[in-house]
Amino acid sequence: MKRVLLAVLLSLLALGMTAEPVEGAERPQIEVVRAGGPIRVDGRMDETDWERAPPITAFRLILVREGEAPSESTEVRVLHDDSHLYFGIRCANRSPGAVRASLTPRDQILDGDHISIHLDTYRDFHRAYIFGVNPYGVQLDGILDGDEPDFNWDSVWDAESTRDAEGWASEIAVPLQALRFPQSGDGRWGLWIRREITKNDEVCTWPLYREGVQGDIMLQAGDLGGLASLRGGGGLELQPYVSSTNFASRTFDANEDASDWNDRTEADVGLDVKYGLTATMALDGTLNPDFSQIEADALQIDVNRRFPLFFPEKRTFFLEGSEIFATPYNLVYTRRIADPAFGGKLTGKAGRWRLGAIAVRDDGGSSIDGVGGRAFGDGLTQGWFSIGRARYDIGENSNVGLLITDHRSDRESLASDTGGIIQRVPNGAQNTVVAADTRLRLSRSFFFSGQIGGSWTRVDSTAVSGAVRDVREQFSDALYTTNAWYQDGTSYVLGYHDYLGPDFRTESGFLDRVDARTSAFEGHVTMRPKRGPLRTWQPQSNGNVIHDARGILQERRLAGAVEWSFHKQTRLHTRFAHVIERWRSREYDRNRYILELENTLWRPLGMSFFATLEDGIFYAPTDSASFLGWQESYQLIGTIRPDPRLTSEVTATRNRFSRSYGGAEVYDILVVGAKTTYQFTRRLFARLYPQYDTDADHLDVDALLAYVIHPGSVLYVGVNGDLDRMGDRHRATGRTVFLKASYLFQP
């Protein structure tokens, strides 16, 4: 198999080298003016230097009435000095209707009025930094990777806004040290600016982004010239932290008598370090990192599920540069690293190469749900995670890449039930994955992507159902996927074929299932009526066929849908699917009906409703206990803003299963959460987040008071409580009180 993988890798590289770049249209350009004096970031633009900077004013609507002038004007000017890049912004709001924005926590401004600057510092037409601000001066930052923004990236920069009868204005100051860019060339960066005018349901950009032009967003950006003299990157950042946490729990007997509280206090100190090796490469190190969950994971229903639950990464050390490690299959899922002791990370770009590496010492404890082949046992033990990634960019929006992941557990002994000792494999367990991938733009509207890889695994003795079983197995398997699609702004057609072997295993990644060979298609056509309430309507169709490695049918699905997009920020989605699914040794014939409805125009209340009604399988361990019943799933999401400082995000999810439509109920589970935030100032906020699960009769309450100077410099005081039903009332079973302080030094 190694020879096959090598041959395919070389073929992908050869195909990538021959991919033809697609030339874009002539790009508009704006020249940056050097500031003659200091710029005070206060949102007023009263320095004379702003008058010398040429204005960017030719904003045009996208999506609806593409190319027309928006209802409100926008003006952006750009300055620089030796240490910063400055943006002066004026957003008119003269027609009826107030500015629609809130004083919210950082990054949570996307559903109101805001403007965002996208900087392609390498001018590779693919990746860009995002810096945004709203009328209250709340900041937004992230990374645009292709056409998908990731707002988990944070940096230290300044922004201030002012509001008046004519609209609102902002000043943004981005330190050059926060950016990675080559310090050679013609001094041009890509620039794309996007503004949302919520009251009129408008989005406008400079330059105009046309839906019919395919490829990554930054292909249609303008050029920001006059930057050849800038020097950035480098620099040292130190972020120490201290934390103290008190844990307490108690149990109840059959008579509901409580035991004494069992509590303990833990104190921690740690350090994160970032050093700019070059203007384009950064090295991160961490010692005893603080990976406390400042915001709890949203509860999910984990009953009658065939596939494992996925929880997104929230930890800063792993989030920065995470887009470098992304591939068609999710082979890097850093939540596997459950309890890191220390580690390092290298990310950046060298010429056309994007490079990333992670090495972390982990004390173990992660679940093995979703690792793939032969996933039995208690979980991952302590050891090392090592991840390496390299991607080579070719022309416009084409690349080839290589990913290597390795997890090695320490040698360890386990005691058996009889008191004996079973020695693990002498060198511990090991899982290694090597995969090559490519994305190619073969013509203006035709694209191809693919990935092929293999895994090699050695498992050690594993505790199973309370006993210790001596398992010393070595196994390997492969995966591949090929995707080809055509899109021209109106039509979209995709076909793909992929394979995951039954013994493919990725202890550094996450997979829904293995032992699956899938062939599938998707397609839609977008209609844009000239008049009436509809903005667009989109007939859709998709389907797949899945077989296992033996050729036995696992699933056949054919679906049709219509996506309706109305004016006033309203979306309706209707779908029907017919599914034949195998569970154990039987095939089940199923129909599925889906309805989705969203409206976010009214600022005080945004609503989303999702419903799935279907013939559902009860996934029991045996054929005799499994059956086809009736399943209903509902989710209601409401965002309530009675005041610009107060936001409550309420989520209610219900899953009900019956023997048949209208028949006897098997279970009915409701999960409800309400995350409420009050923003005293841009830096100080309080949050209360209760969540209740009717299946476990469990109430979880998280309260947080936070003071955030800027990312990395924070003070958190939090209380978490667990309550479980005992008889006819809920009783406290656990509580946690924590204090955390960190400060980011930038010498």
Side-chain angles (χ1 to χ4, degrees):
M1 185 172 66
K2 293 181 180 179
R3 292 181 178 179
V4 174
L5 290 175
L6 179 60
V8 174
L9 173 60
L10 293 175
S11 299
L12 289 176
L13 288 170
L15 182 59
M17 297 302 181
T18 60
E20 183 179 352
V22 180
E23 298 298 330
E26 184 177 348
R27 295 158 63 97
Q29 180 166 325
I30 193 77
E31 290 294 317
V32 181
V33 172
R34 184 178 181 86
I39 302 297
R40 185 175 60 257
V41 180
D42 55 11
R44 301 185 185 283
M45 287 187 291
D46 48 8
E47 293 86 357
T48 57
D49 284 323
W50 288 117
E51 298 177 3
R52 298 190 297 111
I56 300 172
T57 58
F59 283 76
R60 291 294 180 266
L61 292 175
I62 66 173
L63 304 177
V64 179
R65 307 195 331 264
E66 183 180 283
E68 295 183 17
S71 59
E72 304 285 3
S73 63
T74 308
E75 181 179 289
V76 178
R77 299 171 187 261
V78 191
L79 297 170
H80 82 85
D81 58 22
D82 290 336
S83 60
H84 288 79
L85 195 62
Y86 302 94
F87 294 89
I89 301 162
R90 180 68 194 178
C91 296
N93 191 72
R94 291 182 290 268
S95 62
V99 168
R100 298 193 178 186
S102 299
L103 190 62
T104 67
R106 186 188 178 100
D107 289 340
Q108 298 181 24
I109 65 174
L110 292 174
D111 58 352
D113 288 3
H114 68 279
I115 191 167
S116 54
I117 309 294
H118 301 68
L119 289 174
D120 176 7
T121 58
Y122 293 101
R123 202 172 177 271
D124 60 9
F125 316 114
H126 176 77
R127 181 184 184 274
Y129 294 97
I130 304 173
F131 300 96
V133 67
N134 80 349
Y136 285 87
V138 180
Q139 295 169 259
L140 167 83
D141 49 14
I143 299 294
L144 179 68
D145 188 46
D147 56 3
E148 293 295 331
D150 179 359
F151 297 110
N152 290 309
W153 178 81
D154 287 313
S155 185
V156 179
W157 50 285
D158 293 324
E160 290 291 345
S161 296
T162 57
R163 304 180 304 280
D164 56 35
E166 297 298 313
W168 58 284
S170 289
E171 287 179 306
I172 291 175
V174 180
L176 298 179
Q177 183 177 332
L179 304 174
R180 305 293 169 198
F181 58 91
Q183 297 183 163
S184 60
D186 58 6
R188 287 189 298 163
W189 296 356
L191 174 64
W192 187 61
I193 309 173
R194 182 183 185 275
R195 180 190 175 189
E196 287 202 26
I197 307 170
T198 310
K199 66 177 182 181
N200 295 328
D201 195 16
E202 293 180 348
V203 180
C204 58
T205 69
W206 181 91
L208 170 64
Y209 174 77
R210 297 188 180 278
E211 279 194 289
V213 178
Q214 299 309 304
D216 294 342
I217 288 175
M218 296 308 292
L219 275 171
Q220 300 189 53
D223 283 332
L224 191 63
L227 304 173
S229 63
L230 298 190
R231 295 293 179 266
L236 175 68
E237 295 181 0
L238 302 173
Q239 184 183 333
Y241 83 91
V242 295
S243 69
S244 178
T245 307
N246 177 263
F247 304 92
S249 63
R250 63 176 177 173
T251 58
F252 290 80
D253 60 22
N255 297 321
E256 300 180 31
D257 293 325
S259 66
D260 292 334
W261 284 98
N262 177 21
D263 69 301
R264 71 184 193 280
T265 300
E266 296 180 358
D268 254 333
V269 296
L271 176 67
D272 288 338
V273 180
K274 177 187 286 290
Y275 180 68
L277 297 174
T278 68
T280 60
M281 297 289 293
L283 177 66
D284 291 84
T286 186
L287 177 63
N288 190 27
D290 173 40
F291 287 155
S292 57
Q293 291 291 109
I294 298 305
E295 181 178 312
D297 290 317
L299 293 180
Q300 300 185 53
I301 294 176
D302 192 17
V303 175
N304 194 37
R305 290 186 58 89
R306 181 170 184 176
F307 303 116
L309 293 174
F310 178 90
F311 293 94
E313 181 62 86
K314 297 181 179 181
R315 302 172 298 183
T316 304
F317 177 78
F318 293 118
L319 287 173
E320 186 165 349
S322 60
E323 76 280 354
I324 295 175
F325 300 93
T327 66
Y329 279 109
N330 190 2
L331 300 180
V332 177
Y333 178 55
T334 50
R335 286 192 68 143
R336 295 277 180 225
I337 307 173
D339 188 14
F342 57 88
K345 181 173 66 173
L346 176 71
T347 54
K349 189 171 182 181
R352 289 182 173 269
W353 288 97
R354 296 184 186 273
L355 304 172
I358 298 174
V360 175
R361 172 66 181 179
D362 182 44
D363 288 337
S366 173
S367 165
I368 59 173
D369 287 345
V371 301
R374 310 197 193 186
F376 56 85
D378 285 347
L380 301 181
T381 58
Q382 61 185 10
W384 282 91
F385 281 90
S386 304
I387 301 170
R389 172 69 167 155
R391 196 180 82 185
Y392 185 78
D393 293 334
I394 308 163
E396 296 178 358
N397 297 168
S398 296
N399 57 70
V400 291
L402 180 68
L403 174 71
I404 300 175
T405 72
D406 185 78
H407 176 236
R408 302 193 180 202
S409 298
D410 294 347
R411 182 173 61 185
E412 185 179 347
S413 299
L414 287 180
S416 71
D417 290 344
T418 60
I421 298 296
I422 295 180
Q423 182 69 37
R424 290 180 179 263
V425 172
N427 294 319
Q430 179 181 354
N431 172 246
T432 302
V433 174
V434 179
D437 61 278
T438 186
R439 183 184 189 274
L440 305 173
R441 185 173 187 176
L442 302 176
S443 69
R444 187 168 298 279
S445 300
F446 188 59
F447 301 81
F448 172 85
S449 71
Q451 185 172 19
I452 186 168
S455 71
W456 293 265
T457 306
R458 181 176 64 240
V459 296
D460 58 4
S461 302
T462 307
V464 182
S465 301
V468 177
R469 189 171 75 185
D470 189 10
V471 181
R472 298 185 180 183
E473 294 182 288
Q474 297 188 44
F475 52 92
S476 62
D477 219 323
L479 65 73
Y480 66 80
T481 180
T482 58
N483 301 263
W485 68 98
Y486 172 89
Q487 59 187 108
D488 59 14
T490 299
S491 302
Y492 172 81
V493 180
L494 165 73
Y496 67 89
H497 180 74
D498 57 40
Y499 171 77
L500 271 166
D503 281 338
F504 188 90
R505 183 178 174 102
T506 170
E507 294 178 5
S508 302
F510 185 93
L511 303 170
D512 282 336
R513 67 194 299 172
V514 293
D515 194 10
R517 190 186 307 273
T518 305
S519 297
F521 77 93
E522 298 177 16
H524 64 246
V525 178
T526 303
M527 310 292 187
R528 299 179 175 85
K530 299 291 186 182
R531 298 179 181 84
L534 274 175
R535 295 174 59 174
T536 63
W537 67 283
Q538 190 181 86
Q540 304 173 353
S541 181
N542 62 77
N544 65 22
V545 178
I546 303 175
H547 294 85
D548 65 15
R550 297 169 296 170
I552 299 174
L553 179 69
Q554 300 298 305
E555 180 179 294
R556 180 184 294 119
R557 177 176 55 85
L558 182 62
V562 181
E563 178 91 9
W564 314 82
S565 176
F566 297 86
H567 294 286
K568 308 298 183 182
Q569 295 184 14
T570 301
R571 183 185 76 90
L572 173 66
H573 179 90
T574 54
R575 175 178 294 269
F576 169 77
H578 178 252
V579 182
I580 297 175
E581 180 180 352
R582 176 178 293 274
W583 172 247
R584 300 301 179 186
S585 62
R586 293 165 53 190
E587 290 184 358
Y588 296 86
D589 197 310
R590 309 169 56 195
N591 289 321
R592 179 180 298 152
Y593 310 88
I594 296 175
L595 172 69
E596 300 176 3
L597 178 63
E598 297 178 74
N599 181 276
T600 57
L601 181 64
W602 191 36
R603 184 66 184 166
L605 177 63
M607 299 291 293
S608 301
F609 176 73
F610 308 92
T612 301
L613 309 176
E614 59 183 325
D615 302 306
I617 302 173
F618 188 79
Y619 297 109
T622 63
D623 277 333
S624 59
S626 303
F627 60 91
L628 187 67
W630 179 252
Q631 184 164 309
E632 304 167 43
S633 301
Y634 306 97
Q635 185 176 59
L636 180 64
I637 302 173
T639 303
I640 305 167
R641 300 182 187 84
D643 181 86
R645 297 176 182 270
L646 180 64
T647 301
S648 185
E649 302 170 36
V650 181
T651 302
T653 303
R654 182 186 180 190
N655 193 307
R656 183 174 184 269
F657 198 98
S658 305
R659 284 276 175 178
S660 61
Y661 179 74
E665 183 180 283
V666 179
Y667 62 80
D668 189 356
I669 300 172
L670 177 67
V671 173
V672 181
K675 182 168 63 177
T676 302
T677 303
Y678 188 83
Q679 200 80 25
F680 299 96
T681 68
R682 289 217 310 267
R683 293 182 172 183
L684 178 65
F685 69 87
R687 175 177 295 157
L688 182 66
Y689 192 6
Q691 298 187 85
Y692 183 68
D693 178 0
T694 62
D695 181 51
D697 251 340
H698 177 76
L699 176 64
D700 176 82
V701 181
D702 300 321
L704 176 71
L705 182 66
Y707 186 74
V708 182
I709 300 174
H710 51 65
S713 297
V714 300
L715 175 64
Y716 292 120
V717 180
V719 179
N720 304 326
D722 298 310
L723 295 92
D724 292 279
R725 181 171 291 279
M726 302 294 165
D728 60 351
R729 66 192 182 98
H730 279 83
R731 306 283 295 275
T733 54
R735 62 173 181 247
T736 303
V737 180
F738 67 89
L739 171 69
K740 171 192 169 182
S742 68
Y743 192 81
L744 178 63
F745 293 94
Q746 295 179 305

